[in-house]
Amino acid sequence: NAGVTQTPKFRVLKTGQSMTLLCAQDMNHEYMYWYRQDPGMGLRLIHYSVGEGTTAKGEVPDGYNVSRLKKQNFLLGLESAAPSQTSVYFCASRPRGKDQPQHFGDGTRLSIL
Amino acid sequence: KQEVTQIPAALSVPEGENLVLNCSFTDSAIYNLQWFRQDPGKGLTSLLLIQSSQREQTSGRLNASLDKSSGRSTLYIAASQPGDSATYLCAVRTTGRRALTFGSGTRLQVQP
């Protein structure tokens, strides 16, 4: 009963490096989300997807790209990492329907030096 | 733009006390409001979801209320226990939006 799984759990990057965060869900959910959580600021939406092959921008999309090639996976990419992207990244998913709760992964803690 | 505020930012209570966490939001046109629990270094666990047509939801020692017209929700925790220590986050889904807007959370410490 895995739910939402995020890989990796921790990562340290140097400024300018690139990397991809992977989110996988085994609940056949249509909607998937990427958030970042910074101290004192709650969670902010980066990008989201309403189904396989679709993506849309959230509140803070700059510096990130996403892809949803398979329904169960949602990838978050940083092309050229910056110190301002140091954060904890959370992935979430939910079924279609306006009153369906979101299910979250355990997060990826990313530090950019 | 929807804004969600949680007060207080931190709260410390002795074990056994009943307590109330507050959440307010600026746009009352919402589909639902969700309360989450977050333990240190962990993800978010959904506690309760209240639909816009509902006034409250209960789960065990937790009771969440919603007053959409005034833009307020409360999470009531009865007979608090040290295991309740965590950060509690409130989030709303605004009408026409597909994602949640989160408050910054209330960090709760229950002292044994």
Side-chain angles (χ1 to χ4, degrees):
Chain A
N1 191 14
V4 179
T5 303
Q6 292 185 232
T7 309
K9 296 188 185 305
F10 304 94
R11 186 74 183 268
V12 178
L13 292 178
K14 294 181 179 179
T15 298
Q17 287 185 316
S18 64
M19 79 161 294
T20 300
L21 280 64
L22 171 64
C23 177
Q25 53 95 3
D26 61 1
M27 298 173 283
N28 200 36
H29 287 172
E30 292 290 338
Y31 293 80
M32 296 187 75
Y33 305 84
W34 276 108
Y35 295 90
R36 61 178 288 173
Q37 185 177 35
D38 301 296
M41 297 187 71
L43 278 74
R44 292 181 292 168
L45 181 67
I46 304 171
H47 286 281
Y48 66 97
S49 168
V50 301
E52 182 178 316
T54 75
T55 63
K57 293 181 180 180
E59 182 184 356
V60 288
D62 294 343
Y64 305 95
N65 56 76
V66 288
S67 64
R68 184 117 181 253
L69 299 179
K70 294 183 179 181
K71 186 177 183 179
Q72 64 267 36
N73 295 337
F74 195 29
L75 278 61
L76 178 70
L78 286 73
E79 291 186 348
S80 179
S84 61
Q85 294 177 306
T86 294
S87 188
V88 181
Y89 292 85
F90 287 101
C91 176
S93 71
R94 71 169 177 89
R96 190 180 300 277
K98 67 180 179 69
D99 288 319
Q100 295 295 327
Q102 290 191 15
H103 300 261
F104 282 78
D106 283 344
T108 294
R109 191 173 299 273
L110 184 62
S111 294
I112 315 296
L113 304 178
Chain B
K1 177 186 174 186
Q2 181 73 267
E3 293 182 3
V4 180
T5 303
Q6 292 186 248
I7 295 172
L11 181 64
S12 181
V13 300
E15 182 177 4
E17 192 165 297
N18 302 326
L19 59 100
V20 174
L21 306 181
N22 297 294
C23 172
S24 62
F25 47 96
T26 55
D27 185 350
S28 61
I30 64 171
Y31 289 134
N32 56 61
L33 182 145
Q34 202 167 350
W35 282 93
F36 293 90
R37 170 185 173 135
Q38 185 177 27
D39 293 290
K42 294 293 186 181
L44 281 68
T45 301
S46 180
L47 297 173
L48 291 164
L49 182 148
I50 310 176
Q51 299 175 17
S52 62
S53 59
Q54 297 176 323
R55 294 302 296 264
E56 64 179 69
Q57 279 283 350
T58 299
S59 177
R61 294 182 293 108
L62 305 179
N63 177 276
S65 69
L66 175 64
D67 184 341
K68 202 173 64 167
S69 61
S70 67
R72 295 178 186 274
S73 175
T74 62
L75 179 66
Y76 175 82
I77 302 177
S80 58
Q81 303 170 358
D84 294 331
S85 298
T87 296
Y88 291 81
L89 293 151
C90 164
V92 299
R93 181 152 174 240
T94 307
T95 302
R97 300 288 301 274
R98 290 195 170 100
L100 297 172
T101 302
F102 282 84
S104 54
T106 295
R107 189 170 65 253
L108 173 66
Q109 183 75 31
V110 180
Q111 306 290 346

